[in-house]
């Protein structure tokens, strides 16, 4: 699906060699393979001036592990997090949210991660303005592709606002 997203955005894949081991060590879990391919295809940037996917970022601005730790720092040790109720932030060996992207207009995208489950089976959990928490069962790359290209993928799609999806790299 990352190839389909690259074609839809007229993007020449970067094929970055990202070392995921330190991120996965920090998280205490592997990450979905399709997400890693998406990040390696595009690098750091934004899709259609809307969607920012976190990655391994030397500037730390869009660094997945740093952002997760920031969320985790204010989260309660057990039980639902008041900011993310009915969910809680993922802690190694447990079940909870790992942020992987954000969108303009106050949209947040997470995996509902579980140390006991294959990361490719983690559902995507979203929350944004104007919709409440939603859970979607699909891969990260399929979700990104549909947000960008499928006008029927409501309430997530931006295809009507940006009928020609694109990607802007960020340094």
């Amino acid at each position: 699906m990352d190839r389909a997203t690259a074609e839809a955005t007229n993007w020449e894949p970067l094929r970055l060699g990202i070392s995921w081991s330190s991120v996965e060590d920090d998280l205490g879990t592997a990450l979905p393979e399709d997400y890693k391919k998406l990040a390696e295809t595009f690098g750091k940037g934004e899709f259609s001036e809307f969607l920012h996917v976190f990655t391994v970022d030397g500037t730390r601005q869009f660094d997945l592990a740093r952002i997760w730790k920031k969320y985790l720092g204010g989260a309660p040790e057990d039980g639902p997090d008041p900011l993310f109720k009915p969910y809680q932030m993922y802690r190694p060996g447990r079940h909870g949210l790992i942020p992987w992207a954000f969108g303009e207009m106050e949209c947040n995208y997470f995996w509902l991660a579980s140390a006991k489950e294959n990361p490719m089976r983690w559902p995507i959990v979203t929350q944004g303005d104007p919709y409440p928490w939603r859970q979607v069962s699909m891969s990260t790359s399929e979700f990104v592709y549909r947000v960008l290209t499928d006008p029927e993928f409501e309430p997530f799609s931006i295809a009507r606002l940006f009928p020609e999806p694109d990607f802007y790299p960020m340094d």
Side-chain angles (χ1 to χ4, degrees):
M1 194 57 68
D2 53 300
R3 186 169 59 203
T5 304
E7 288 174 8
T9 58
N10 293 311
W11 181 253
E12 185 64 35
L14 297 176
R15 295 179 180 86
L16 298 172
I18 297 174
S19 174
W20 293 103
S21 59
S22 65
V23 175
E24 293 175 329
D25 286 348
D26 282 349
L27 293 169
T29 185
L31 292 168
E33 288 298 319
D34 74 303
Y35 156 76
K36 293 190 283 189
K37 288 178 184 168
L38 183 74
E40 291 168 354
T41 297
F42 288 93
K44 182 175 71 169
E46 64 182 4
F47 291 95
S48 296
E49 300 179 37
F50 176 78
L51 183 65
H52 302 265
V53 176
F54 305 139
T55 185
V56 175
D57 178 11
T59 69
R60 314 280 291 155
Q61 185 178 8
F62 295 108
D63 187 74
L64 187 138
R66 183 190 71 78
I67 292 167
W68 168 72
K69 286 177 184 177
K70 186 176 176 183
Y71 279 118
L72 192 61
E77 187 72 33
D78 289 307
D81 186 321
L83 296 175
F84 302 103
K85 194 174 185 178
Y87 301 100
Q88 63 188 35
M89 278 293 119
Y90 174 82
R91 291 183 184 279
R94 297 193 192 171
H95 187 263
L97 300 175
I98 297 175
W100 62 268
F102 75 93
E104 300 300 324
M105 301 166 43
E106 300 179 28
C107 299
N108 295 295
Y109 305 94
F110 303 88
W111 294 295
L112 185 54
S114 172
K116 297 176 183 173
E117 212 174 294
N118 179 334
M120 289 301 292
R121 292 197 176 119
W122 292 347
I124 292 171
V125 176
T126 68
Q127 188 273 327
D129 185 23
Y131 60 87
W133 290 103
R134 303 249 179 145
Q135 191 168 315
V136 181
S137 293
M138 68 179 56
S139 71
T140 308
S141 57
E142 180 182 359
F143 185 86
V144 170
Y145 179 78
R146 292 191 62 198
V147 164
L148 297 173
T149 65
D150 183 356
E152 304 304 315
F153 188 49
E154 295 296 340
F156 312 110
S157 178
I158 61 169
R160 287 189 178 99
L161 295 172
F162 302 96
E164 294 183 31
D166 53 24
F167 181 78
Y168 296 100
M170 301 173 105
D171 294 327

